[in-house]
Amino acid sequence: MSRLILALDVYEREKALKIARETGDFLWGIKVNWPLILGSGIDIVGELKEETGLPIIADLKLADIPNTNRLIAGRVFEAGADYIIAHGFPGSDSVKAVMELGETIIVVEMSHPGAGEFIQPVTDRLIELANELEPFGVIAPATRPERVRYIRKKLRRNIKILTPGVGAQGGKAKEVLKAGADYIIVGRAIYNSGNPRKAAENLWREMNAGTEG
Ligand code: BMP
């Protein structure tokens, strides 16, 4: 089984569907973020699901009061999303409002340099929140394998770790998997490559090398 998630951050519907079709064989799932939702509308979630049969993660990074989180998440789950990503820092009530409607992934640390300013100092608290609420998974930075290792140690075993930051942001798939990630999220290194299918296949091979037999 694949542990690769495509971050499909393009605007255009046709382009998104084409890349999804080409790469689907090598993916566990597809992550849809604001660029694609703004460019193509929320119905793209159902279309991608129908086209590929893969789980769809809606990366909205919800960070609002419980009622607003609930209003947004309700529509997005209705549109066919299997998972929604929410921020943990607005508090447990805001996250619970999403979790009551469907499978949720909580951001506990981010992959960009600025993550060191505000989110990394509260990662321990966000891990505690995840351990208490037991969502499907958490987001952790593929750009810092040592932080993935740390988060894996503190996080309940049944909670998955999904890591963006491989490829364009400098993270290395093998290293992050070794540090304890369950899934690797990759965008530009696949959709901006001349041959997205080949790029996804190469990553898939790299991730599976040494795990056969
Ligand atoms: P790329 O492989 O092109 O860098 O894309 C990474 C994807 O993961 C983007 O959709 C980005 O918004 C998302 N992401 C991230 O890069 N770092 C995080 O900490 C959290 C994210 O959701």
Side-chain angles (χ1 to χ4, degrees):
M1 193 176 95
S2 177
R3 301 203 276 165
L4 178 61
I5 296 169
L6 171 64
L8 197 43
D9 297 330
V10 299
Y11 293 121
E12 308 84 358
R13 177 180 170 276
E14 285 308 324
K15 188 172 174 186
L17 290 169
K18 180 170 184 284
I19 296 170
R21 265 195 303 272
E22 288 172 359
T23 57
D25 289 343
F26 303 104
L27 306 178
W28 176 83
I30 297 176
K31 185 175 82 63
V32 170
N33 200 336
W34 288 107
L36 183 54
I37 294 173
L38 293 172
S40 301
I42 192 64
D43 289 346
I44 191 69
V45 169
E47 289 184 284
L48 283 169
K49 218 167 129 93
E50 201 167 302
E51 191 74 42
T52 63
L54 296 173
I56 308 295
I57 300 171
D59 182 5
L60 305 170
K61 294 197 187 71
L62 289 178
D64 217 313
I65 60 167
N67 187 59
T68 310
N69 269 4
R70 190 177 301 116
L71 288 170
I72 299 170
R75 275 293 171 95
V76 175
F77 280 128
E78 255 172 49
D82 298 282
Y83 304 86
I84 289 181
I85 301 180
H87 270 300
F89 63 76
S92 55
D93 52 353
S94 292
V95 178
K96 277 183 198 158
V98 182
M99 289 185 69
E100 278 161 14
L101 299 177
E103 295 280 11
T104 305
I105 297 163
I106 301 176
V107 180
V108 297
E109 192 167 323
M110 296 186 75
S111 61
H112 60 312
E117 295 171 19
F118 296 105
I119 195 157
Q120 203 186 70
V122 295
T123 292
D124 282 353
R125 298 286 305 279
L126 294 168
I127 295 169
E128 280 169 27
L129 176 76
N131 283 340
E132 182 196 321
L133 300 182
E134 298 195 52
F136 169 78
V138 300
I139 295 288
T143 47
R144 296 185 212 97
E146 73 287 359
R147 294 295 295 167
V148 173
R149 192 168 287 112
Y150 175 82
I151 292 163
R152 181 71 279 166
K153 259 196 219 127
K154 300 235 156 184
L155 194 68
R156 275 180 195 271
R157 203 50 247 183
N158 59 322
I159 304 172
K160 308 281 187 208
I161 299 185
L162 297 84
T163 56
V166 164
Q169 296 178 54
K172 302 267 179 291
K174 267 291 200 195
E175 265 178 48
V176 194
L177 289 174
K178 214 168 139 208
D182 295 288
Y183 300 98
I184 303 293
I185 299 173
V186 183
R188 284 164 287 179
I190 296 175
Y191 68 74
N192 271 352
S193 91
N195 186 340
R197 181 176 172 84
K198 193 77 206 146
E201 182 178 358
N202 287 346
L203 272 160
W204 179 82
R205 284 192 192 287
E206 184 191 336
M207 289 164 70
N208 289 325
T211 59
E212 300 92 357

